[in-house]
Amino acid sequence: MLRVVSWNINGIRSPLQGVVCQEPSNCTSMAMRRILDELDADIVCFQETKVTRDVLTEPLAIVEGYNSYFSFSRIRSGYSGVATFCKDSATPVAAEEGLSGLFATQNGDVGCYGNMDEFTQEELRALDSEGRALLTQHKIRTWEGKERTLTFINVYCPHADPGKPERLTFKMRFYRLLQIRAEALLAAGSHVIILGDLNTAHRPIDHCDAVNLECFEEDAGRKWMDSLLSNLGCRAGSHIGPFVDSYRYFQPKQERAFTCWSVVSGARHLNYGSRLDYVLGDRTLVIDTFQDSFLLPQVMGSDHCPVGATLNVSSVPAKQCPPLCTRFLPEFAGTQLKILRFLVPLEQEPVLEQSALQLSNKTQVQKQQNKVRVRSTRPRPSQANSRRGQTNLMSYFQPSSSHSKTSPDLELHNLPLVKNLITPKTLEEKVMAREVEGQAKHSEGKDEKELRTSFWKSVLGGPSPMPLCSGHREPCVMRTVKKPGPNLGRHFYMCARPRGPPSDPSSRCSFFLWSRPS
């Protein structure tokens, strides 16, 4: 059996942040291994890794028992990116970054690009520069004993922002390039699986609120999926595409089978989302070898859940990993050594050892000379001062012999002007002065204490109580408008319950109230 899993992880480092360990590198490696073990798949495809090559660490990229492949965004950091982890028992024979072939190295690449004349070189480079596609090609053996080629296309398709029409064009061009490459691989005799986040809910059954969306069926992304996929349960004469949605092949009428939810609205609590993640296989492969296709909504750590499939085939691992494997990156290549390599003594030339020893001795001599020079330039106390220095702790409590025995205050009384200014006070005057001074200090301290108390009460009084929503009479939550426009930055109140179907009384009500500016 061959088990494959795809997961939009929404930042590959995010599930590792809660792990505390004394050795950060070992901690990251163990956490990554734990994620892979939990998914329990021969091939794991991640989307939206949000790492670039400059921040990719060895413990994250190289996990014992796996070989990994990354595609990075070349336009900005912390954006997009995909990665594929293969067990050593499912090592691919070839791996390639991107769909266009512009980033191919012609050594261990997958090949088969099809006719891309409708794209310019600049357009192809732009489509592949966001790190949205990664191909691995494997050898498999069917239950009949026949050996076949299977190519996985790990994709993170673009999202079409309604406020940016150019991104819809970019998304549709990416779809077109993906279809050309997949069909070219099929034409070359390879089986193909497209898996990942396609960023489109295909049918109304795949969306929580399809009824209230205008022109749902007319969406350009859904029309493209109609052309790509076959509905094996449809009537004769309808369109038959080269690929099959494996989940709908096994669960054609399963409702509320969602893979993505809004984190802000807490929609996952009531399973109010959409199905954006797919495992699409070519028709022959799905019909002949697919045993199951599943969702894993119980796996947390992202706004998406993993999806996967099980195939009735066995993997034939390659003897060596393709050059794209992360263990061959220059920053990691030197660390992949066997433990015996560290136990074998290295033979060195005697001349080199002698010269190195001489250089070390010269360095030590120079350091000693520099220390002597620094010491000689420091000022030293005189002989008399050194004798007069404090020799023990008790000397701090003895009067110094160099000081005059006569107090300065006593010497001032000998001056004629000071004698005339100093007048003795009676005992009553002294008592009265002390009482007046004490009352003044007490009054000042009381006023100052009251002033401080009132100040901190005004500062730490806390926010005003939240208004109650009209649907449940429960305290609301405050949100901030982040959409560009005249209300950007304004605060408002809304129901604190998670978003869900309007017919569900436990879901969020429609209460809305603008917050008054403070």
Side-chain angles (χ1 to χ4, degrees):
M1 289 291 183
L2 182 69
R3 177 181 166 98
V4 298
V5 169
S6 171
W7 188 17
N8 181 324
I9 200 168
N10 193 21
I12 197 169
R13 294 174 292 181
S14 299
L16 313 180
Q17 292 176 355
V19 182
V20 180
C21 187
Q22 294 180 353
E23 294 290 339
S25 59
N26 295 339
C27 187
T28 303
S29 180
M30 291 172 58
M32 194 67 211
R33 178 59 185 265
R34 189 162 63 247
I35 291 174
L36 294 172
D37 290 344
E38 182 180 358
L39 297 177
D40 189 25
D42 300 288
I43 299 172
V44 180
C45 297
F46 293 113
Q47 299 87 42
E48 205 171 358
T49 57
K50 295 184 180 180
V51 293
T52 47
R53 182 169 173 177
D54 58 321
V55 299
L56 183 67
T57 60
E58 179 185 348
L60 186 63
I62 302 177
V63 181
E64 185 179 357
Y66 291 82
N67 48 91
S68 63
Y69 309 85
F70 280 75
S71 179
F72 310 102
S73 172
R74 290 169 167 80
I75 59 172
R76 74 190 213 207
S77 181
Y79 176 72
S80 189
V82 294
T84 300
F85 284 76
C86 305
K87 281 186 176 179
D88 291 340
S89 58
T91 301
V93 296
E96 184 179 330
E97 183 182 4
L99 297 171
S100 65
L102 294 181
F103 298 146
T105 60
Q106 298 181 353
N107 182 18
D109 296 324
V110 174
C112 303
Y113 302 101
N115 186 0
M116 299 182 181
D117 293 341
E118 61 186 89
F119 298 90
T120 64
Q121 291 294 308
E122 292 76 11
E123 191 176 10
L124 290 174
R125 186 169 296 277
L127 291 171
D128 271 346
S129 292
E130 293 188 0
R132 294 185 175 274
L134 187 64
L135 285 74
T136 56
Q137 194 167 73
H138 305 254
K139 292 294 183 181
I140 59 172
R141 185 175 288 111
T142 65
W143 62 275
E144 299 172 340
K146 297 180 180 180
E147 194 169 295
R148 295 284 187 265
T149 301
L150 174 58
T151 304
F152 289 90
I153 306 180
N154 178 8
V155 291
Y156 173 46
C157 296
H159 169 68
D161 191 339
K164 298 179 180 179
E166 68 277 5
R167 291 302 293 178
L168 176 59
T169 303
F170 185 88
K171 177 179 181 177
M172 298 312 300
R173 296 300 282 170
F174 186 89
Y175 278 159
R176 176 59 181 159
L177 181 62
L178 172 61
Q179 185 171 358
I180 291 175
R181 185 70 187 274
E183 291 178 350
L185 288 164
L186 285 175
S190 173
H191 289 296
V192 177
I193 291 179
I194 302 173
L195 71 169
D197 181 2
L198 298 188
N199 252 318
T200 295
H202 185 206
R203 299 293 187 191
I205 195 176
D206 300 319
H207 198 285
C208 63
D209 198 23
V211 178
N212 296 324
L213 295 179
E214 296 182 2
C215 304
F216 183 88
E217 300 286 352
E218 300 301 318
D219 179 78
R222 295 182 179 92
K223 286 187 174 182
W224 173 78
M225 293 191 72
D226 288 339
S227 66
L228 182 72
L229 300 179
S230 291
N231 187 354
L232 299 181
C234 64
R235 62 181 181 274
S238 61
H239 172 75
I240 299 178
F243 289 89
V244 174
D245 180 353
S246 63
Y247 184 78
R248 286 304 173 200
Y249 177 74
F250 290 98
Q251 306 288 343
K253 297 182 180 180
Q254 180 64 49
E255 297 182 352
R256 300 174 62 81
F258 303 137
T259 66
C260 180
W261 305 265
S262 171
V263 176
V264 176
S265 63
R268 190 168 188 170
H269 180 70
L270 296 176
N271 191 23
Y272 195 69
S274 56
R275 192 169 72 98
L276 305 180
D277 305 86
Y278 301 83
V279 179
L280 311 178
D282 65 81
R283 287 198 311 270
T284 304
L285 184 70
V286 172
I287 295 173
D288 294 344
T289 67
F290 270 58
Q291 296 295 304
D292 187 22
S293 185
F294 51 84
L295 313 180
L296 299 174
Q298 73 277 8
V299 178
M300 300 297 185
S302 171
D303 56 340
H304 292 247
C305 78
V307 300
T310 305
L311 288 71
N312 187 20
V313 298
S314 60
S315 176
V316 181
K319 295 181 180 180
Q320 185 177 2
C321 297
L324 189 64
C325 182
T326 51
R327 69 178 59 174
F328 297 137
L329 293 176
E331 54 266 38
F332 303 142
T335 60
Q336 296 302 303
L337 302 174
K338 294 183 179 180
I339 192 170
L340 293 178
R341 179 68 175 80
F342 296 95
L343 304 178
V344 177
L346 298 178
E347 296 182 359
Q348 297 180 352
E349 295 294 333
V351 178
L352 294 177
E353 292 181 358
Q354 185 176 1
S355 61
L357 182 60
Q358 292 176 355
L359 181 61
S360 176
N361 292 337
K362 289 182 180 181
T363 305
Q364 294 295 334
V365 172
Q366 290 178 358
K367 288 182 178 180
Q368 294 295 334
Q369 292 176 353
N370 291 338
K371 289 181 180 180
V372 172
R373 291 174 184 172
V374 172
R375 290 172 182 173
S376 62
T377 56
R378 293 176 181 172
R380 294 185 178 181
S382 60
Q383 297 293 333
N385 292 338
S386 64
R387 293 194 197 100
R388 199 170 60 242
Q390 302 293 338
T391 58
N392 54 52
L393 182 62
M394 295 302 298
S395 62
Y396 286 98
F397 303 97
Q398 298 175 359
S400 177
S401 59
S402 60
H403 290 172
S404 176
K405 295 182 180 179
T406 307
S407 173
D409 296 334
L410 296 177
E411 293 178 356
L412 289 176
H413 289 285
N414 296 329
L415 298 177
L417 293 176
V418 175
K419 285 183 178 181
N420 297 332
L421 292 174
I422 297 177
T423 57
K425 293 183 178 180
T426 63
L427 182 60
E428 294 180 359
E429 290 178 348
K430 290 181 179 180
V431 173
M432 290 294 295
R434 289 177 183 175
E435 290 183 358
V436 171
E437 185 179 356
Q439 292 178 359
K441 288 183 178 180
H442 179 72
S443 178
E444 291 178 0
K446 186 176 181 181
D447 295 341
E448 185 178 358
K449 184 178 180 180
E450 292 179 355
L451 183 62
R452 289 180 179 179
T453 303
S454 60
F455 170 75
W456 285 113
K457 282 185 177 180
S458 64
V459 172
L460 303 177
S464 56
M466 291 287 179
L468 304 180
C469 67
S470 57
H472 311 97
R473 306 303 299 171
E474 297 175 351
C476 295
V477 291
M478 178 183 287
R479 303 293 186 194
T480 305
V481 178
K482 298 182 179 180
K483 184 178 180 180
N487 293 322
L488 179 64
R490 288 190 63 183
H491 301 290
F492 61 92
Y493 299 102
M494 62 186 302
C495 179
R497 293 200 178 191
R499 188 181 177 190
S503 58
D504 188 348
S506 64
S507 64
R508 175 190 301 172
C509 65
S510 59
F511 179 82
F512 178 88
L513 178 66
W514 284 111
S515 173
R516 294 182 180 179
S518 57

